[in-house]
Amino acid sequence: MKKQITTLILLASTIINAQETPNDSIKNNIEPDQSLNEVVLTGTMKPVSRTESPVPVEVYTAKYFKTNPNPSLFESIGMINGIQPQINCNVCATGDIHINGMEGPYTMILIDGMPIVSALSTVYGLNGIPNSLVERIEVVKGPASSLYGTEAMGGLINIITKDAAKANKFHADIYTTTWLENNVDLAYKFNIGENVNSLLGVNYFKYANKQDKNNDNFTDVTLQDRVSIFNKWNFKRENNRVANIAARYVYEDRWGGEMQYNKKIHRGGDKVYGESIYTNRAEVIGMYQLPTTENIYTQFSYNYHEQDSYYGADSYHAKQHVAFWQMYWDKVIGKHSLLTGATFRYTLYDDNTPGTLNYDGTKNMPMETPLPGIFVQDEITFNPKHKLLLGYRFDYEKNHKGIHSPRVAYKFTPNKTHTFRASFGTGFRVVNLFTEDHAALTGSREVIIKNDLNPEKSYNGNLNYVYNKTFGFGNFNLDATAFYSYFTNKIIGDFETNQNQIIYDNLDGHAVSQGVSVNADIVFQIPLRVNLGVSYIDVYRKERNEEKILEKTQQLHSPKWSGNYSVSYTFPKRWMVNLTGNWYGKMRLPILENDYRPEYSDTYMLTNIQVTKSWNQFEIYGGVKNLFNFVPKDPLMRPFDPFDNNADDPVSNPNGYTFDTAYNYAPLQGIRGFIGLRYTIR
């Protein structure tokens, strides 16, 4: 490892010394934050500055995520207040993304406005998006189903990739860690003639260093070998009409398990435990503005996802196709900015579990879900101080029939310092039962749908206040949001009534997500910038017990208190220091009956520090992650008997414990150093 780092430093120094000029310096002041003037797309599906948007949208640029580099967006997204990337398995590191405490299936992930990452592929789809191709990330918290349909129930994350015409000619970002995690991120722009620009990105991540710091004979971190190729094309047309298309391919080989596990020998066997997952994924997205006098746009996306995996001796092999098409008309009439369109989404899903068999289990029946919809939105600007947004969407699903999703938002801006927003909306989710509960379906249980399932619905209201003012010391921006969401018809699986069945039914009760989120951004006249965020979130459900009395149950993996921080200071001669981190309060964890492990986690903090030196075209950076070396204790139940061969022994296991991998609340990776190099040709 020392040899790797020394070679990287010598290479960087050689190139840098050849490029540095004696006049290279940096100013000792920082301009006031201009983020409120950034153009956003996500809230209303049309470009508008953040200050003018009636829907609160949070924007995070690629520069923000460079203060704590990570090999995937799944890890980077945790730097955003109120968003929690949650690992749900300590062995294979599968997980999901929580917005305001809601589980992953309630979060919609978009790439350039297209619902490209969903259901089966939520985590694996985010891994392997080259960070060098990301322009910014836009976040809307709360239901957005009136524009984006199913899954946009708890919120959405829109990953905006760079415009090929405006991107740098070449960019490389290479780094390694003391755990021997190696990441290469490359982007190259080229032109074909005067009217075609293309941006090609390649990401390669390799981690093959088995580590067992907690001595439970299991890998602390999942081993990964991943390659991702992304190519985006922009076409110049008359009158600046839009035309672009992009494609991405991802292949990943990941596994975790006992330290003596060998994929070639033990994969799918019952002697040495391991969880091995091969992922093949392909995506295509595009947008085309029709050559008409009116602003009419059509968008499309398609993704294919194949997962070939073994969880111990249990096989799970699934394929999913998702096609999406959308056309909309953007028209301004007086004070009204209208948007209306039609959408169609088609999902085909198949796997090797009982979930895709017919009723008597004799024939394979892949699930097909067509979902057509229409939507309309009217943004009314009464005057510079008052703006009203009205929206409505109608979708038709073959089982749930017609689904209505209205929303209303109001913005009041008395002056440049204060902005008030209030909104109310509904969200819905057409549940794909089997892609979300595949681990439970790898056995021989019979799947029972007790009643005609109604779609899950949510009713959300939030109040947002933004304060932005420049003082003598610098610029201060405060963004505070209070939210309340009420969920009905939550679909749950009953695994306990009959050990040979899984019984699905709508929740006899309701669920609630409520809380307050505050972000503060301070840009000082000296070269210092501070970002602070804190969230209080209370997520629970109430369901009727056998006595028909409502009982309250706190949401798993949802801390009531959490926060993030980022402090950046720029020294002369382009030296910069970044201190970043997250902290989480106690969260409820999935425990077994008579479990000796505590039901609630510890309060903990993950802190990182980075030092960066910049030249004209180069940056060299390095630092320490998890500075205080926090690692959870005893995450695995009975790691010495992963196949439960002796689970029924009343002498050695009087409590009837079974092997369990779901007790997780923080990474098992302790303190580690990292060093990297960036090179850019503009």
Side-chain angles (χ1 to χ4, degrees), residues 144-164:
S145 292
S146 66
L147 273 187
Y148 294 97
T150 183
E151 294 175 27
M153 195 173 180
L156 59 90
I157 299 168
N158 192 2
I159 301 162
I160 309 295
T161 61
K162 293 180 178 178
D163 185 334

Side-chain angles (χ1 to χ4, degrees), residues 59 72 146 189 234 270 285 295 345 348-349 354 387 435 450 474 523 539 563 584 635 638 646 653 674 677:
V59 181
S72 75
S146 66
K189 183 185 79 171
N234 285 77
D270 60 359
I285 59 176
N295 292 324
R345 179 172 176 172
L348 176 65
Y349 171 80
K387 183 175 288 189
T435 60
K450 194 171 183 180
V523 182
V539 185
Y584 299 95
R638 292 179 60 84
N646 300 310
N653 189 24
F674 66 93
L677 172 69

Side-chain angles (χ1 to χ4, degrees), residues 210 212 216-219 255-267 271-274 639-640 642-643:
K210 295 181 183 178
D212 180 23
D216 61 3
N217 196 41
F218 270 75
T219 53
W255 73 268
E258 294 185 271
M259 292 294 287
Q260 67 271 30
Y261 181 81
N262 184 316
K263 281 189 304 179
K264 295 181 179 179
I265 302 173
H266 302 123
R267 190 174 196 262
K271 302 300 181 184
V272 178
Y273 189 89
F640 53 85
F643 293 101

Side-chain angles (χ1 to χ4, degrees), residues 186-396:
L186 305 174
Y188 173 69
K189 183 185 79 171
F190 58 93
N191 302 324
I192 299 178
E194 296 181 356
N195 299 321
V196 181
N197 307 105
S198 183
L199 184 61
L200 176 66
V202 177
N203 174 258
Y204 181 69
F205 177 73
K206 177 79 171 182
Y207 174 67
N209 182 33
K210 295 181 183 178
Q211 291 284 351
D212 180 23
K213 301 285 187 180
N214 60 4
N215 298 315
D216 61 3
N217 196 41
F218 270 75
T219 53
D220 294 337
V221 179
T222 305
L223 282 75
Q224 300 176 52
D225 191 355
R226 179 179 67 245
V227 62
S228 173
I229 302 173
F230 182 93
N231 193 200
K232 183 176 184 179
W233 296 76
N234 285 77
F235 303 90
K236 294 181 181 178
R237 301 172 60 208
E238 292 183 0
N239 301 317
N240 293 320
R241 292 190 179 97
V242 178
N244 59 64
I245 189 170
R248 183 170 74 114
Y249 173 74
V250 181
Y251 174 78
E252 184 183 63
D253 174 3
R254 68 163 57 199
W255 73 268
E258 294 185 271
M259 292 294 287
Q260 67 271 30
Y261 181 81
N262 184 316
K263 281 189 304 179
K264 295 181 179 179
I265 302 173
H266 302 123
R267 190 174 196 262
D270 60 359
K271 302 300 181 184
V272 178
Y273 189 89
E275 297 184 357
S276 171
I277 302 167
Y278 298 134
T279 300
N280 271 289
R281 179 173 176 82
E283 306 165 351
V284 179
I285 59 176
M287 184 174 186
Y288 181 78
Q289 184 178 358
L290 299 185
T292 61
T293 55
E294 298 292 337
N295 292 324
I296 301 176
Y297 301 85
T298 182
Q299 295 176 285
F300 63 89
S301 68
Y302 166 77
N303 70 74
Y304 167 79
H305 191 100
E306 180 183 12
Q307 180 175 323
D308 176 8
S309 52
Y310 277 93
Y311 301 90
D314 295 328
S315 168
Y316 176 70
H317 192 175
K319 294 181 180 181
Q320 178 175 272
H321 302 261
V322 181
F324 180 83
W325 170 89
Q326 175 172 273
M327 180 177 285
Y328 63 92
W329 175 47
D330 184 1
K331 179 71 172 180
V332 176
I333 304 175
K335 296 181 179 181
H336 300 264
S337 179
L338 297 169
L339 189 77
T340 182
T343 69
F344 182 78
R345 179 172 176 172
Y346 175 81
T347 303
L348 176 65
Y349 171 80
D350 193 16
D351 64 22
N352 63 332
T353 76
T356 53
L357 295 177
N358 63 354
Y359 292 109
D360 59 9
T362 60
K363 182 181 178 182
N364 186 51
M365 292 184 64
M367 289 179 289
E368 298 181 75
T369 309
L371 190 63
I374 57 173
F375 61 89
V376 61
Q377 175 181 274
D378 185 11
E379 187 176 316
I380 309 167
T381 304
F382 297 103
N383 54 53
K385 294 184 178 181
H386 299 274
K387 183 175 288 189
L388 178 67
L389 178 74
L390 303 173
Y392 171 76
R393 182 184 181 103
F394 175 81
D395 292 87
Y396 184 85

